[in-house]
Amino acid sequence: MGNSDTKLHFRKAVIQLTTRTQPVEASDDVFWDQFWAESSTAMQDVFALVPAAEIRAVREESPSNLATLCYKAVERLVQGADSGCPSEKERQIVVNCTRLLTRILPYIFEDADWRGFFWSTVPGAGRTKRLDEDADDDEARPLAESLLLAIADLLFCPDFTIQSHKKSSPDSAEDIRSIDSCEYIWEAGVGFAQSPPLNYVHDLNRTELLKLLLTCFSEAMYLPPSSDSKTLNPWVSFFCSTENRHALPLFTSLINVVCAYDPVGFGFPYNHLLFSDSREQLVEQSIQILIATLEHEASSASSAALQALDEATASPADEEPEPTGPDNLFVNYLSRIHREEDLSFILKGLARLLNNPLIQTYLPRSTKKIQFHQELLILFWKFCDFNKKFLFFVLKSSDVLDILVPILFYLNDARADQSRVGLMHIGVFILLLLSGERNFGVRLNKPFTHRVPMDIPVFTGTHADLLVVIFHKIITSGHQRLQPLFDCLLTIIVNISPYLKSLSMVAANKLLHLLEAFSTPWFLFSAPQNHHLVFFLLEVYNNIIQYQFDGNFNLVYAIIRKRNVFHQLANLPSDTASIQKALQKKKKSGISRTNSTEKGSMEGSTPAVPAEPGTLKASLEATPGIDKITEKSQVSVDGTMVAVPHSDPPQTPSDRNIGAAASDTESNSERDQEVDHTESEAARSRLSSVSSTAAFSANPDWVLSWKTRLPLQTIMRLLQVLVPQVEKICIDKGLTDESEILNFLQHGTLVGLLPVPHPILIRKYQANAGTAMWFRTYMWGIIYLRNVDPPIWYDTDIRLFEIQRI
């Protein structure tokens, strides 16, 4: 695309623009047409021929020339949208203007003085006069609105981005203003049955326009992080408003294009090396547009929209819905999808794409592997957050496991790579959201029979076993920046524990190993929150013993074998001398931090490896503590959730929860209200006792304040009853084989011997400003790093996050 003469003419035009000190008149079409009326200039050429330094020079020294260039480029897009681009030349002008604006916009956004430029109206600045009745309104539109509406029109332009329903001839060309774009949805799926024929050129043109649209939305990157959730992106707000008559068909097109995409295709080996795939680029841009437009506060938006959601509501693509609930129509439409076939189409599509990297074949690299799994996880999160019917649909069948397994794969694969810490967070957040629902815990009892390329021990068990083994791997061999996630990981296990019918011996031993590691005196005394991990683990054991004792003989056996850990915990010394002695030892906690190369790894597994030197990563906002992102609920007798009211947070570590009852129930439900998340990051560091002791000093009062509430009653009663029986069997039969002991435990019972079962306590994810800000920085960081060809935002003054090189 683009010969050397075209590049030379284009470069001369750029030089003229930067060297002219006098403003060029908007009416000088001969000059301005040099930028887009010549033959095609490839996107990569535009980025090479329009250097960043020259754009900034024009911005500073000839601002009127830059303003006129933007006006004229938008004007040509508006003209193209009005005319429907009937000729090849007009289509080429639209594509060239699209590429030029994609190049220039980031440099408009990075300068605070220019940021309002596109939202201003300059009368008579070369705008096309229209003969229709809306001419006056159009003349008064800000440039940004004209640009966005032109892009929307062009995305449904016959023979440019969609297949015309009429025979192509100059006399019968369709009027772009009169067509019903709902009839031209790009792909079959949600509310649309016909699948239009694939057209390589249409896909490329759509991709170019979506890239420009994403660049328009990216103004958010140039604003510093703000906790003010009411700050809306004006570009997104307008594009997703009722002003955009194509909002519904475009939303549906984007969803359908993403969820219908099958990178494997017909399954021919190496087909992705033989044939170019125009659809992949379109899918990537579509999913990035979706997650950018769906950045909306769920707390108020989805609740309002869901009140309007009932079975009588038409599917989003059946007819234009009344805009109830949030003003953002994309969020509105998403929240109202409810038909089973639509929900199934979306879930199966997302699951197919998330599982793509897990596909194993005998021929190496013979199947195409997608790279946009992080965007898929964000989109899945948005669906669950905004559409509760989708969340319940996911959980009502075993299909949720098709989402769980790839998430666990990504978590395991990324645990040693600091550049993918955001991926670790989004995966854990999704599992935390799912774990708040009973059905998720129940589904985990399904046997795990897949062979996924993960470096974990081979085991025979359930999906719950897989989850426990992977979480253990993250905690024991992940990098240091994952330590703030430990609370979340154990909260997920606590949430599912009352429903786990039978843990394998491998998973049971992993759970006991975590307790062994986290209950050592030096670790408990080295940071103010470390003891919370022990509380979480004890709650897991209590839930399983009280509610699923019959099938969990492996865990009971592991508890009996490690009974000394519980006795030592119950007798933990709390005097000053013992505390100091424990801290001076600084023994290893039993958690090794080496890259895992365990024997018995799964076939085809590859151990997690750190990021390659020079890898770029985007910085992230800090995530709120577990008590800020979850809300405690008790499961009542009839299975419904009853919210547990919050208590006032305590003031100091030493006087927290003094006088709290020591029963299992109260210690389980109240203990994590004492979390103080104002401590420094160094103090939160789980396994770095040197840095944490500098900010915190354990004392006897503090130790006693939580030691007296350790929920050990149930476990101690179990040991009191079973240990003598097991020892007697061993002595009587001279057993050295554990199989008979397991058989005895399998058929034993503790009915009437244990304390009264405590209420099941679930910590459900709740939306908050902190995680909303985290998602914004994570989402735009991913979009920045994924758009490197061409590098749209590279070397511009990004303020939402920092780009760091590992």
Side-chain angles (χ1 to χ4, degrees), residues 448-475:
F448 177 69
T449 55
H450 301 288
R451 281 294 167 258
V452 178
M454 290 192 279
D455 59 324
I456 58 174
V458 177
F459 67 91
T460 302
T462 65
H463 285 76
D465 296 314
L466 177 69
L467 183 143
V468 169
V469 169
I470 297 289
F471 281 14
H472 176 270
K473 202 83 169 175
I474 294 168
I475 291 171

PDB file of all heavy atoms in Angstrom, residues 448-475:
ATOM      1  N   PHE A 448     -12.311 -33.389  37.879  1.00  0.00           N
ATOM      2  CA  PHE A 448     -11.454 -32.707  36.906  1.00  0.00           C
ATOM      3  C   PHE A 448     -10.735 -33.766  36.081  1.00  0.00           C
ATOM      4  O   PHE A 448      -9.911 -34.521  36.602  1.00  0.00           O
ATOM      5  CB  PHE A 448     -10.442 -31.809  37.630  1.00  0.00           C
ATOM      6  CG  PHE A 448      -9.478 -31.126  36.703  1.00  0.00           C
ATOM      7  CD1 PHE A 448      -9.914 -30.125  35.844  1.00  0.00           C
ATOM      8  CD2 PHE A 448      -8.137 -31.481  36.681  1.00  0.00           C
ATOM      9  CE1 PHE A 448      -9.029 -29.493  34.981  1.00  0.00           C
ATOM     10  CE2 PHE A 448      -7.248 -30.851  35.821  1.00  0.00           C
ATOM     11  CZ  PHE A 448      -7.701 -29.856  34.972  1.00  0.00           C
ATOM     12  N   THR A 449     -11.066 -33.819  34.794  1.00  0.00           N
ATOM     13  CA  THR A 449     -10.511 -34.879  33.938  1.00  0.00           C
ATOM     14  C   THR A 449      -9.654 -34.336  32.802  1.00  0.00           C
ATOM     15  O   THR A 449      -9.039 -35.108  32.074  1.00  0.00           O
ATOM     16  CB  THR A 449     -11.659 -35.707  33.318  1.00  0.00           C
ATOM     17  OG1 THR A 449     -12.559 -34.826  32.628  1.00  0.00           O
ATOM     18  CG2 THR A 449     -12.424 -36.462  34.401  1.00  0.00           C
ATOM     19  N   HIS A 450      -9.597 -33.007  32.634  1.00  0.00           N
ATOM     20  CA  HIS A 450      -8.814 -32.438  31.532  1.00  0.00           C
ATOM     21  C   HIS A 450      -7.321 -32.610  31.810  1.00  0.00           C
ATOM     22  O   HIS A 450      -6.904 -32.806  32.952  1.00  0.00           O
ATOM     23  CB  HIS A 450      -9.099 -30.944  31.367  1.00  0.00           C
ATOM     24  CG  HIS A 450     -10.544 -30.643  31.103  1.00  0.00           C
ATOM     25  ND1 HIS A 450     -11.155 -30.931  29.921  1.00  0.00           N
ATOM     26  CD2 HIS A 450     -11.498 -30.073  31.880  1.00  0.00           C
ATOM     27  CE1 HIS A 450     -12.419 -30.563  29.968  1.00  0.00           C
ATOM     28  NE2 HIS A 450     -12.655 -30.042  31.157  1.00  0.00           N
ATOM     29  N   ARG A 451      -6.544 -32.495  30.757  1.00  0.00           N
ATOM     30  CA  ARG A 451      -5.105 -32.435  30.924  1.00  0.00           C
ATOM     31  C   ARG A 451      -4.645 -31.099  30.361  1.00  0.00           C
ATOM     32  O   ARG A 451      -4.545 -30.916  29.157  1.00  0.00           O
ATOM     33  CB  ARG A 451      -4.427 -33.608  30.218  1.00  0.00           C
ATOM     34  CG  ARG A 451      -4.504 -34.888  31.030  1.00  0.00           C
ATOM     35  CD  ARG A 451      -3.686 -34.770  32.333  1.00  0.00           C
ATOM     36  NE  ARG A 451      -3.972 -35.855  33.279  1.00  0.00           N
ATOM     37  CZ  ARG A 451      -4.742 -35.729  34.331  1.00  0.00           C
ATOM     38  NH1 ARG A 451      -5.351 -34.579  34.573  1.00  0.00           N
ATOM     39  NH2 ARG A 451      -4.922 -36.724  35.175  1.00  0.00           N
ATOM     40  N   VAL A 452      -4.421 -30.175  31.257  1.00  0.00           N
ATOM     41  CA  VAL A 452      -4.071 -28.805  30.887  1.00  0.00           C
ATOM     42  C   VAL A 452      -2.577 -28.614  31.120  1.00  0.00           C
ATOM     43  O   VAL A 452      -2.034 -29.150  32.097  1.00  0.00           O
ATOM     44  CB  VAL A 452      -4.887 -27.799  31.740  1.00  0.00           C
ATOM     45  CG1 VAL A 452      -4.519 -26.378  31.406  1.00  0.00           C
ATOM     46  CG2 VAL A 452      -6.378 -28.017  31.494  1.00  0.00           C
ATOM     47  N   PRO A 453      -1.886 -27.878  30.232  1.00  0.00           N
ATOM     48  CA  PRO A 453      -0.431 -27.711  30.397  1.00  0.00           C
ATOM     49  C   PRO A 453      -0.062 -26.818  31.577  1.00  0.00           C
ATOM     50  O   PRO A 453       0.296 -25.653  31.407  1.00  0.00           O
ATOM     51  CB  PRO A 453      -0.004 -27.077  29.063  1.00  0.00           C
ATOM     52  CG  PRO A 453      -1.219 -26.374  28.561  1.00  0.00           C
ATOM     53  CD  PRO A 453      -2.382 -27.215  29.012  1.00  0.00           C
ATOM     54  N   MET A 454      -0.163 -27.379  32.798  1.00  0.00           N
ATOM     55  CA  MET A 454       0.174 -26.620  34.008  1.00  0.00           C
ATOM     56  C   MET A 454       1.178 -27.418  34.836  1.00  0.00           C
ATOM     57  O   MET A 454       1.077 -28.643  34.934  1.00  0.00           O
ATOM     58  CB  MET A 454      -1.082 -26.343  34.842  1.00  0.00           C
ATOM     59  CG  MET A 454      -2.025 -25.353  34.201  1.00  0.00           C
ATOM     60  SD  MET A 454      -3.326 -24.779  35.322  1.00  0.00           S
ATOM     61  CE  MET A 454      -4.487 -26.122  35.210  1.00  0.00           C
ATOM     62  N   ASP A 455       2.132 -26.720  35.426  1.00  0.00           N
ATOM     63  CA  ASP A 455       3.163 -27.406  36.221  1.00  0.00           C
ATOM     64  C   ASP A 455       2.664 -27.637  37.645  1.00  0.00           C
ATOM     65  O   ASP A 455       3.144 -27.053  38.606  1.00  0.00           O
ATOM     66  CB  ASP A 455       4.461 -26.589  36.228  1.00  0.00           C
ATOM     67  CG  ASP A 455       4.266 -25.195  36.790  1.00  0.00           C
ATOM     68  OD1 ASP A 455       3.196 -24.612  36.538  1.00  0.00           O
ATOM     69  OD2 ASP A 455       5.167 -24.691  37.482  1.00  0.00           O
ATOM     70  N   ILE A 456       1.685 -28.512  37.759  1.00  0.00           N
ATOM     71  CA  ILE A 456       1.139 -28.878  39.067  1.00  0.00           C
ATOM     72  C   ILE A 456       1.192 -30.389  39.195  1.00  0.00           C
ATOM     73  O   ILE A 456       1.251 -31.110  38.191  1.00  0.00           O
ATOM     74  CB  ILE A 456      -0.312 -28.381  39.241  1.00  0.00           C
ATOM     75  CG1 ILE A 456      -1.222 -28.955  38.150  1.00  0.00           C
ATOM     76  CG2 ILE A 456      -0.367 -26.869  39.243  1.00  0.00           C
ATOM     77  CD1 ILE A 456      -2.691 -28.631  38.338  1.00  0.00           C
ATOM     78  N   PRO A 457       1.180 -30.915  40.421  1.00  0.00           N
ATOM     79  CA  PRO A 457       1.238 -32.367  40.598  1.00  0.00           C
ATOM     80  C   PRO A 457       0.033 -33.044  39.963  1.00  0.00           C
ATOM     81  O   PRO A 457      -1.073 -32.509  39.977  1.00  0.00           O
ATOM     82  CB  PRO A 457       1.210 -32.538  42.126  1.00  0.00           C
ATOM     83  CG  PRO A 457       1.570 -31.217  42.688  1.00  0.00           C
ATOM     84  CD  PRO A 457       1.158 -30.186  41.686  1.00  0.00           C
ATOM     85  N   VAL A 458       0.255 -34.204  39.392  1.00  0.00           N
ATOM     86  CA  VAL A 458      -0.851 -34.986  38.864  1.00  0.00           C
ATOM     87  C   VAL A 458      -1.690 -35.484  40.036  1.00  0.00           C
ATOM     88  O   VAL A 458      -1.157 -35.960  41.034  1.00  0.00           O
ATOM     89  CB  VAL A 458      -0.319 -36.191  38.055  1.00  0.00           C
ATOM     90  CG1 VAL A 458      -1.467 -37.052  37.556  1.00  0.00           C
ATOM     91  CG2 VAL A 458       0.514 -35.698  36.882  1.00  0.00           C
ATOM     92  N   PHE A 459      -2.988 -35.320  39.955  1.00  0.00           N
ATOM     93  CA  PHE A 459      -3.866 -35.788  41.027  1.00  0.00           C
ATOM     94  C   PHE A 459      -5.181 -36.248  40.439  1.00  0.00           C
ATOM     95  O   PHE A 459      -5.543 -35.883  39.321  1.00  0.00           O
ATOM     96  CB  PHE A 459      -4.115 -34.667  42.057  1.00  0.00           C
ATOM     97  CG  PHE A 459      -4.918 -33.518  41.509  1.00  0.00           C
ATOM     98  CD1 PHE A 459      -6.306 -33.504  41.603  1.00  0.00           C
ATOM     99  CD2 PHE A 459      -4.292 -32.456  40.883  1.00  0.00           C
ATOM    100  CE1 PHE A 459      -7.044 -32.450  41.082  1.00  0.00           C
ATOM    101  CE2 PHE A 459      -5.026 -31.401  40.362  1.00  0.00           C
ATOM    102  CZ  PHE A 459      -6.410 -31.405  40.467  1.00  0.00           C
ATOM    103  N   THR A 460      -5.870 -37.069  41.181  1.00  0.00           N
ATOM    104  CA  THR A 460      -7.218 -37.476  40.805  1.00  0.00           C
ATOM    105  C   THR A 460      -8.165 -36.792  41.766  1.00  0.00           C
ATOM    106  O   THR A 460      -8.104 -37.026  42.980  1.00  0.00           O
ATOM    107  CB  THR A 460      -7.384 -39.005  40.915  1.00  0.00           C
ATOM    108  OG1 THR A 460      -6.412 -39.628  40.068  1.00  0.00           O
ATOM    109  CG2 THR A 460      -8.782 -39.422  40.484  1.00  0.00           C
ATOM    110  N   GLY A 461      -9.016 -35.942  41.231  1.00  0.00           N
ATOM    111  CA  GLY A 461      -9.894 -35.205  42.132  1.00  0.00           C
ATOM    112  C   GLY A 461     -10.863 -34.326  41.371  1.00  0.00           C
ATOM    113  O   GLY A 461     -11.176 -34.566  40.203  1.00  0.00           O
ATOM    114  N   THR A 462     -11.326 -33.282  42.045  1.00  0.00           N
ATOM    115  CA  THR A 462     -12.356 -32.403  41.508  1.00  0.00           C
ATOM    116  C   THR A 462     -11.762 -31.063  41.095  1.00  0.00           C
ATOM    117  O   THR A 462     -10.564 -30.805  41.287  1.00  0.00           O
ATOM    118  CB  THR A 462     -13.436 -32.152  42.576  1.00  0.00           C
ATOM    119  OG1 THR A 462     -12.824 -31.425  43.664  1.00  0.00           O
ATOM    120  CG2 THR A 462     -14.016 -33.462  43.095  1.00  0.00           C
ATOM    121  N   HIS A 463     -12.626 -30.204  40.543  1.00  0.00           N
ATOM    122  CA  HIS A 463     -12.183 -28.851  40.210  1.00  0.00           C
ATOM    123  C   HIS A 463     -11.812 -28.066  41.465  1.00  0.00           C
ATOM    124  O   HIS A 463     -10.982 -27.150  41.399  1.00  0.00           O
ATOM    125  CB  HIS A 463     -13.287 -28.124  39.424  1.00  0.00           C
ATOM    126  CG  HIS A 463     -13.403 -28.579  37.997  1.00  0.00           C
ATOM    127  ND1 HIS A 463     -13.987 -29.782  37.653  1.00  0.00           N
ATOM    128  CD2 HIS A 463     -12.991 -27.996  36.830  1.00  0.00           C
ATOM    129  CE1 HIS A 463     -13.936 -29.911  36.324  1.00  0.00           C
ATOM    130  NE2 HIS A 463     -13.352 -28.852  35.807  1.00  0.00           N
ATOM    131  N   ALA A 464     -12.414 -28.405  42.594  1.00  0.00           N
ATOM    132  CA  ALA A 464     -12.044 -27.755  43.855  1.00  0.00           C
ATOM    133  C   ALA A 464     -10.594 -28.084  44.214  1.00  0.00           C
ATOM    134  O   ALA A 464      -9.846 -27.215  44.686  1.00  0.00           O
ATOM    135  CB  ALA A 464     -12.976 -28.206  44.974  1.00  0.00           C
ATOM    136  N   ASP A 465     -10.194 -29.339  43.993  1.00  0.00           N
ATOM    137  CA  ASP A 465      -8.804 -29.719  44.239  1.00  0.00           C
ATOM    138  C   ASP A 465      -7.861 -28.916  43.358  1.00  0.00           C
ATOM    139  O   ASP A 465      -6.809 -28.456  43.804  1.00  0.00           O
ATOM    140  CB  ASP A 465      -8.609 -31.214  43.972  1.00  0.00           C
ATOM    141  CG  ASP A 465      -9.416 -32.080  44.926  1.00  0.00           C
ATOM    142  OD1 ASP A 465      -9.389 -31.801  46.127  1.00  0.00           O
ATOM    143  OD2 ASP A 465     -10.076 -33.021  44.459  1.00  0.00           O
ATOM    144  N   LEU A 466      -8.239 -28.760  42.094  1.00  0.00           N
ATOM    145  CA  LEU A 466      -7.419 -27.980  41.172  1.00  0.00           C
ATOM    146  C   LEU A 466      -7.263 -26.554  41.686  1.00  0.00           C
ATOM    147  O   LEU A 466      -6.157 -26.000  41.694  1.00  0.00           O
ATOM    148  CB  LEU A 466      -8.064 -27.967  39.779  1.00  0.00           C
ATOM    149  CG  LEU A 466      -7.354 -27.131  38.724  1.00  0.00           C
ATOM    150  CD1 LEU A 466      -6.013 -27.745  38.345  1.00  0.00           C
ATOM    151  CD2 LEU A 466      -8.225 -26.969  37.470  1.00  0.00           C
ATOM    152  N   LEU A 467      -8.361 -25.946  42.139  1.00  0.00           N
ATOM    153  CA  LEU A 467      -8.313 -24.572  42.638  1.00  0.00           C
ATOM    154  C   LEU A 467      -7.385 -24.465  43.848  1.00  0.00           C
ATOM    155  O   LEU A 467      -6.547 -23.553  43.923  1.00  0.00           O
ATOM    156  CB  LEU A 467      -9.728 -24.109  42.997  1.00  0.00           C
ATOM    157  CG  LEU A 467      -9.897 -22.670  43.474  1.00  0.00           C
ATOM    158  CD1 LEU A 467     -11.213 -22.074  42.955  1.00  0.00           C
ATOM    159  CD2 LEU A 467      -9.884 -22.576  44.995  1.00  0.00           C
ATOM    160  N   VAL A 468      -7.501 -25.405  44.783  1.00  0.00           N
ATOM    161  CA  VAL A 468      -6.657 -25.362  45.987  1.00  0.00           C
ATOM    162  C   VAL A 468      -5.184 -25.526  45.618  1.00  0.00           C
ATOM    163  O   VAL A 468      -4.312 -24.803  46.122  1.00  0.00           O
ATOM    164  CB  VAL A 468      -7.090 -26.452  46.992  1.00  0.00           C
ATOM    165  CG1 VAL A 468      -6.070 -26.599  48.112  1.00  0.00           C
ATOM    166  CG2 VAL A 468      -8.470 -26.135  47.564  1.00  0.00           C
ATOM    167  N   VAL A 469      -4.890 -26.454  44.718  1.00  0.00           N
ATOM    168  CA  VAL A 469      -3.502 -26.714  44.325  1.00  0.00           C
ATOM    169  C   VAL A 469      -2.894 -25.487  43.643  1.00  0.00           C
ATOM    170  O   VAL A 469      -1.757 -25.106  43.923  1.00  0.00           O
ATOM    171  CB  VAL A 469      -3.430 -27.949  43.399  1.00  0.00           C
ATOM    172  CG1 VAL A 469      -2.051 -28.078  42.764  1.00  0.00           C
ATOM    173  CG2 VAL A 469      -3.764 -29.217  44.177  1.00  0.00           C
ATOM    174  N   ILE A 470      -3.673 -24.850  42.750  1.00  0.00           N
ATOM    175  CA  ILE A 470      -3.167 -23.650  42.053  1.00  0.00           C
ATOM    176  C   ILE A 470      -2.956 -22.507  43.040  1.00  0.00           C
ATOM    177  O   ILE A 470      -1.937 -21.802  42.990  1.00  0.00           O
ATOM    178  CB  ILE A 470      -4.146 -23.203  40.945  1.00  0.00           C
ATOM    179  CG1 ILE A 470      -4.270 -24.277  39.869  1.00  0.00           C
ATOM    180  CG2 ILE A 470      -3.705 -21.878  40.332  1.00  0.00           C
ATOM    181  CD1 ILE A 470      -3.080 -24.445  38.993  1.00  0.00           C
ATOM    182  N   PHE A 471      -3.904 -22.286  43.951  1.00  0.00           N
ATOM    183  CA  PHE A 471      -3.759 -21.208  44.938  1.00  0.00           C
ATOM    184  C   PHE A 471      -2.528 -21.446  45.820  1.00  0.00           C
ATOM    185  O   PHE A 471      -1.807 -20.506  46.150  1.00  0.00           O
ATOM    186  CB  PHE A 471      -5.019 -21.103  45.803  1.00  0.00           C
ATOM    187  CG  PHE A 471      -6.169 -20.389  45.126  1.00  0.00           C
ATOM    188  CD1 PHE A 471      -6.151 -20.143  43.760  1.00  0.00           C
ATOM    189  CD2 PHE A 471      -7.269 -19.949  45.850  1.00  0.00           C
ATOM    190  CE1 PHE A 471      -7.201 -19.484  43.128  1.00  0.00           C
ATOM    191  CE2 PHE A 471      -8.325 -19.287  45.231  1.00  0.00           C
ATOM    192  CZ  PHE A 471      -8.292 -19.062  43.873  1.00  0.00           C
ATOM    193  N   HIS A 472      -2.318 -22.690  46.202  1.00  0.00           N
ATOM    194  CA  HIS A 472      -1.133 -23.020  46.999  1.00  0.00           C
ATOM    195  C   HIS A 472       0.131 -22.671  46.211  1.00  0.00           C
ATOM    196  O   HIS A 472       1.100 -22.131  46.749  1.00  0.00           O
ATOM    197  CB  HIS A 472      -1.149 -24.514  47.355  1.00  0.00           C
ATOM    198  CG  HIS A 472       0.081 -24.978  48.092  1.00  0.00           C
ATOM    199  ND1 HIS A 472       1.194 -25.456  47.437  1.00  0.00           N
ATOM    200  CD2 HIS A 472       0.369 -25.031  49.423  1.00  0.00           C
ATOM    201  CE1 HIS A 472       2.118 -25.787  48.330  1.00  0.00           C
ATOM    202  NE2 HIS A 472       1.639 -25.543  49.543  1.00  0.00           N
ATOM    203  N   LYS A 473       0.097 -22.951  44.918  1.00  0.00           N
ATOM    204  CA  LYS A 473       1.250 -22.675  44.055  1.00  0.00           C
ATOM    205  C   LYS A 473       1.517 -21.167  43.969  1.00  0.00           C
ATOM    206  O   LYS A 473       2.661 -20.723  44.015  1.00  0.00           O
ATOM    207  CB  LYS A 473       0.941 -23.219  42.653  1.00  0.00           C
ATOM    208  CG  LYS A 473       2.151 -23.496  41.806  1.00  0.00           C
ATOM    209  CD  LYS A 473       2.692 -24.854  42.155  1.00  0.00           C
ATOM    210  CE  LYS A 473       3.725 -25.280  41.148  1.00  0.00           C
ATOM    211  NZ  LYS A 473       4.340 -26.544  41.545  1.00  0.00           N
ATOM    212  N   ILE A 474       0.443 -20.388  43.844  1.00  0.00           N
ATOM    213  CA  ILE A 474       0.596 -18.929  43.764  1.00  0.00           C
ATOM    214  C   ILE A 474       1.224 -18.389  45.045  1.00  0.00           C
ATOM    215  O   ILE A 474       2.138 -17.555  45.019  1.00  0.00           O
ATOM    216  CB  ILE A 474      -0.775 -18.258  43.522  1.00  0.00           C
ATOM    217  CG1 ILE A 474      -1.322 -18.642  42.139  1.00  0.00           C
ATOM    218  CG2 ILE A 474      -0.665 -16.741  43.639  1.00  0.00           C
ATOM    219  CD1 ILE A 474      -2.780 -18.260  41.936  1.00  0.00           C
ATOM    220  N   ILE A 475       0.737 -18.880  46.196  1.00  0.00           N
ATOM    221  CA  ILE A 475       1.219 -18.377  47.484  1.00  0.00           C
ATOM    222  C   ILE A 475       2.664 -18.796  47.729  1.00  0.00           C
ATOM    223  O   ILE A 475       3.468 -18.019  48.239  1.00  0.00           O
ATOM    224  CB  ILE A 475       0.306 -18.877  48.624  1.00  0.00           C
ATOM    225  CG1 ILE A 475      -1.078 -18.202  48.514  1.00  0.00           C
ATOM    226  CG2 ILE A 475       0.929 -18.612  49.997  1.00  0.00           C
ATOM    227  CD1 ILE A 475      -2.126 -18.765  49.450  1.00  0.00           C
TER     228      ILE A 475
END
